[in-house]
Amino acid sequence: MRFFFIGFFFIFHQAFSQDLKSQLNFEVLFNNKVVVLGNTYFDSIQNDSIKINTLKFYISELSLEYNDDVKRLENIPIRQLINLEDPKTLKVKNIGFNVNDIERIFFTLGLDSLVNVSGALGGDLDPTNGMYWSWQSGYINFKMEGVSRNCKNRKKAFHFHLGGYKSPFISNKKVTLDFPKKDVVTVQLDLYDFFNKTDLSKDFKIMSPSKLSNKKSEILSKSFSIN
Amino acid sequence: MAFKSIDDLNFRSPNHFPNPVYTFESNPVSLSKIELGRALFYDPILSLNNSISCASCHSPFNAFSHTDHSLSHGIYDSVGTRNSPALFNLAWQKNFMWDGAINHLDVQSLSPIHHPKEMASSINKVVEKLKKDRFYKKQFYKSFSDSTITGQHVLQSLSQFQLSLVSADSKYDKVKNKKEYFSKKEERGYQLFKANCNNCHLEPLFSTYDFASNGIPIDKSLQDYGRIKVTNLKKDSNLFKIPSLRNLSFSYPYMHDGRFSSLRQVLNHYSDGIKNNEQSLNHAKSMSFSSNEKTDLISFLMTLNDTSFVFNTKHQFPKVLLSK
């Protein structure tokens, strides 16, 4: 049994890492500055200073669009939790690519609906990651918590738990980006627009699937760029 | 009991039941996992201060419901807002809770574990506590060949024990399997049941497990409108999950808020209490029963009591917990 697993892992690894030099990383920014948990950032539109203490989100349904002779899609079956607290989660696992032929990358911010109805799952999907609602079934796709000067909540704390897999509150969002011709590619999420459009003195808490959760997820999905 | 198609080597579906809906492929049943889940179910280690277990609210002798209170009681004697439902034949249910807020048995346990008025803990705290416990370390290794205890495995074990709670050996089941016969009274009650109740409380599980209103009025002090909380759809206001009618002698009081303590009261409601102001299919139509008909109906409902399920020692407090 053990040997079988080692063998399996080897094949798996080969299949997804044809070119081991290539790497896909995620990075979170605030107005082009790399976000460090606990640091303070200034939002000039809302005239607010913001500290982020927790930031985790899922990406799933990743695929690469190749254009060698014909256009083709390579689907990469990952459901990964990106957690700013743990730098190694910023690197996309088990992926290798041949940069020259890739035109675009697609992924979903959040999880596909199937995992939301599949019972207890493990690894990045284990409920101990704090990304599963307990009182109602479903994953939190994007979780951001912190404090801000303007926030009117207790202890000035804001909580954004964005999720929802059932109509009309489906909050996972597709992202499409043009792929640069580089070996080490970084997908960046800039939170600036989100905070520009969020008045934390009124809007400081989303804890369940809702219209607002969809809207905020939409803003975030449009805040990705690639470098 | 007769069994048909083996869905999973260790889970057998009774002959006269439809196919279960639980996803056994992702959590294949094993006897050691059932036993592990049983220990977890009875162990207050799942609550913040080691005071409340699942069995505190779901007692085997009450068909895994709770009969002392109409609303459930949890940690520090806090009172919840709903009556704890009986637990059996869960492998055939697609939605859980009175309003269907939970979509899979595996993730149901997260709700009581995290609920501030129930166990007031978290799955992370539970996993941390279990990791320090030699008994559980051994049991998890034995069951999952993995020395690290995970949230997934805790939840899957709890599911396995609960899946093993199959109630299919009542007098009704014996009649269906041609081992016994209904008395005249029971047969009359059965005919009344089929004419008035079976579209919602569909045999042989005695529920479609869909959502409906049986016409009971809203309790103003609780303001619980059921299914609408989950779907945000107006048409779902005041709909609750249809409960099974098996083992009713053990699982009183009745309804989501435990408002009725006897079957007479329930039948008085169905007979006189329904006002036909709702036309939708999901709502009970008014019906009327004579006193004798009520007695016949109750005689039939009594044939759904399954004592071999309620007193099955394999479902009770596991002795290993005493010596761990």
Side-chain angles (χ1 to χ4, degrees), chain A residues 6-217:
Chain A
I6 291 167
F8 180 75
F9 180 72
F10 187 71
I11 294 165
F12 189 78
H13 200 251
Q14 285 289 300
F16 288 107
S17 327
Q18 295 107 336
D19 180 351
L20 291 171
K21 280 187 309 205
S22 60
Q23 235 187 66
L24 184 64
N25 299 318
F26 274 75
E27 194 168 68
V28 179
L29 310 175
F30 192 104
N31 200 8
N32 294 317
K33 275 195 289 239
V34 176
V35 169
V36 178
L37 294 180
N39 282 8
T40 302
Y41 299 89
F42 195 69
D43 176 353
S44 56
I45 307 259
Q46 296 286 347
N47 191 18
D48 197 0
S49 56
I50 293 158
K51 200 192 270 185
I52 295 161
N53 295 325
T54 301
L55 205 165
K56 312 185 211 185
F57 59 90
Y58 281 109
I59 52 158
S60 66
E61 301 181 306
L62 184 74
S63 54
L64 299 172
E65 185 186 75
Y66 282 86
N67 195 0
D68 352 38
D69 294 325
V70 278
K71 264 197 188 1
R72 66 185 172 86
L73 267 188
E74 184 190 357
N75 295 319
I76 295 151
I78 56 158
R79 290 173 178 128
Q80 185 166 330
L81 180 63
I82 311 261
N83 180 357
L84 270 203
E85 210 163 14
D86 182 359
K88 66 177 187 298
T89 65
L90 296 175
K91 183 175 160 195
V92 178
K93 288 174 265 186
N94 296 323
I95 177 174
F97 42 82
N98 191 355
V99 284
N100 290 329
D101 303 328
I102 301 176
E103 295 221 310
R104 288 192 297 176
I105 178 173
F106 306 93
F107 62 89
T108 297
L109 170 61
L111 292 168
D112 50 288
S113 59
L114 181 65
V115 283
N116 279 284
V117 295
S118 299
L121 300 166
D124 281 13
L125 300 172
D126 194 292
T128 49
N129 289 308
M131 295 294 277
Y132 200 93
W133 274 306
S134 61
W135 47 275
Q136 178 178 340
S137 294
Y139 280 94
I140 298 169
N141 287 324
F142 183 96
K143 187 176 202 171
M144 176 159 64
E145 297 176 343
V147 290
S148 101
R149 197 183 57 209
N150 294 353
C151 183
K152 292 258 160 61
N153 197 20
R154 242 183 91 230
K155 297 182 176 166
K156 300 188 171 295
F158 59 81
H159 304 268
F160 294 105
H161 298 183
L162 311 182
Y165 68 94
K166 268 190 306 202
S167 171
F169 304 134
I170 302 176
S171 86
N172 67 7
K173 301 285 170 203
K174 302 256 179 249
V175 178
T176 304
L177 299 166
D178 290 333
F179 209 76
K181 306 260 177 265
K182 286 164 56 178
D183 276 335
V184 177
V185 175
T186 305
V187 174
Q188 296 170 320
L189 167 64
D190 198 321
L191 301 173
Y192 200 52
D193 197 40
F194 178 93
F195 283 106
N196 285 174
K197 292 180 173 143
T198 305
D199 177 356
L200 290 170
S201 72
K202 295 196 214 101
D203 240 2
F204 44 75
K205 198 169 187 168
I206 298 178
M207 305 289 262
S208 56
S210 66
K211 238 188 219 160
L212 195 60
S213 167
N214 283 6
K215 204 175 120 198
K216 297 288 180 204
S217 306

Side-chain angles (χ1 to χ4, degrees), chain B residues 16-28:
Chain B
H16 56 300
F17 275 25
N19 288 330
V21 298
Y22 184 80
T23 51
F24 288 100
E25 323 80 73
S26 60
N27 187 17

Side-chain angles (χ1 to χ4, degrees), chain B residues 6 12 24 69 72 118 127 133 150 152 157 172 178 188 192 214 234 254 275 291-292 312 324:
Chain B
I6 301 181
R12 296 184 298 167
F24 288 100
H69 316 287
S72 73
E118 293 182 358
V127 167
D133 188 301
T150 66
Q152 178 186 32
S157 311
Y172 163 86
K178 307 216 158 38
R188 285 197 304 268
L192 283 168
N214 67 347
K234 237 198 185 127
Y254 307 114
K275 293 179 195 61
S291 179
N292 283 343
N312 187 342
K324 91 170 187 31

Side-chain angles (χ1 to χ4, degrees), chain B residues 57-309:
Chain B
C57 298
H58 300 285
S59 156
F61 306 109
N62 301 133
F64 293 93
S65 65
H66 190 86
T67 56
D68 288 350
H69 316 287
S70 52
L71 302 173
S72 73
H73 283 213
I75 197 162
Y76 315 124
D77 290 325
S78 34
V79 183
T81 55
R82 286 181 182 160
N83 181 15
S84 51
L87 306 180
F88 50 77
N89 300 342
L90 293 163
W92 286 268
Q93 283 198 45
K94 38 193 192 294
N95 295 295
F96 301 87
M97 309 313 227
W98 285 104
D99 55 11
I102 307 284
N103 67 23
H104 197 288
L105 183 60
D106 292 359
V107 290
Q108 192 286 328
S109 299
L110 290 169
S111 173
I113 290 172
H114 285 248
H115 198 296
K117 288 185 168 184
E118 293 182 358
M119 302 173 120
S121 186
S122 73
I123 186 71
N124 306 53
K125 287 192 193 117
V126 167
V127 167
E128 288 317 307
K129 276 157 98 176
L130 295 175
K131 278 180 177 165
K132 292 192 193 116
D133 188 301
R134 282 182 50 206
F135 167 78
Y136 283 114
K137 267 168 78 170
K138 227 171 82 196
Q139 295 307 312
F140 273 94
Y141 187 75
K142 199 171 129 198
S143 300
F144 292 96
S145 321
D146 186 347
S147 52
T148 20
I149 298 176
T150 66
Q152 178 186 32
H153 292 163
V154 171
L155 297 174
Q156 288 184 330
S157 311
L158 278 163
S159 283
Q160 297 225 351
F161 171 63
Q162 296 181 86
L163 290 164
S164 77
L165 306 177
V166 175
S167 173
D169 201 22
S170 64
K171 178 166 185 186
Y172 163 86
D173 300 296
K174 293 187 179 115
V175 171
K176 286 287 138 176
N177 288 310
K178 307 216 158 38
K179 300 241 175 64
E180 283 189 34
Y181 297 94
F182 283 139
S183 71
K184 284 213 171 94
K185 242 165 91 181
E186 289 164 352
E187 182 60 38
R188 285 197 304 268
Y190 184 34
Q191 296 311 323
L192 283 168
F193 173 84
K194 283 201 286 193
N196 295 285
C197 323
N198 193 49
N199 57 327
C200 291
H201 297 286
L202 181 69
E203 55 176 336
L205 294 160
F206 293 92
S207 176
T208 57
Y209 296 118
D210 281 331
F211 301 90
S213 162
N214 67 347
I216 56 171
I218 293 280
D219 179 327
K220 291 262 164 27
S221 69
L222 293 169
Q223 299 279 328
D224 187 345
Y225 296 91
R227 182 79 178 146
I228 189 175
K229 186 164 158 243
V230 176
T231 61
N232 284 297
L233 299 172
K234 237 198 185 127
K235 70 171 176 60
D236 289 337
S237 178
N238 215 8
L239 302 193
F240 289 87
K241 182 153 59 67
I242 301 164
S244 172
L245 301 183
R246 287 174 174 269
N247 302 309
L248 289 171
S249 289
F250 306 97
S251 64
Y252 58 90
Y254 307 114
M255 308 303 165
H256 69 272
D257 52 7
R259 68 177 68 191
F260 297 135
S261 52
S262 74
L263 289 176
R264 268 283 156 182
Q265 288 176 337
V266 171
L267 289 179
N268 289 344
H269 159 70
Y270 279 110
S271 186
D272 313 312
I274 302 175
K275 293 179 195 61
N276 262 348
N277 46 5
E278 308 272 3
Q279 290 309 309
S280 132
L281 258 184
N282 280 341
H283 290 264
K285 305 274 181 296
S286 65
M287 35 184 122
S288 166
F289 304 112
S290 68
S291 179
N292 283 343
E293 286 175 324
K294 287 179 197 166
T295 308
D296 293 343
L297 262 169
I298 291 176
S299 302
F300 168 69
L301 293 174
M302 291 297 104
T303 72
L304 305 179
N305 289 331
D306 180 352
T307 45
S308 66
F309 166 70

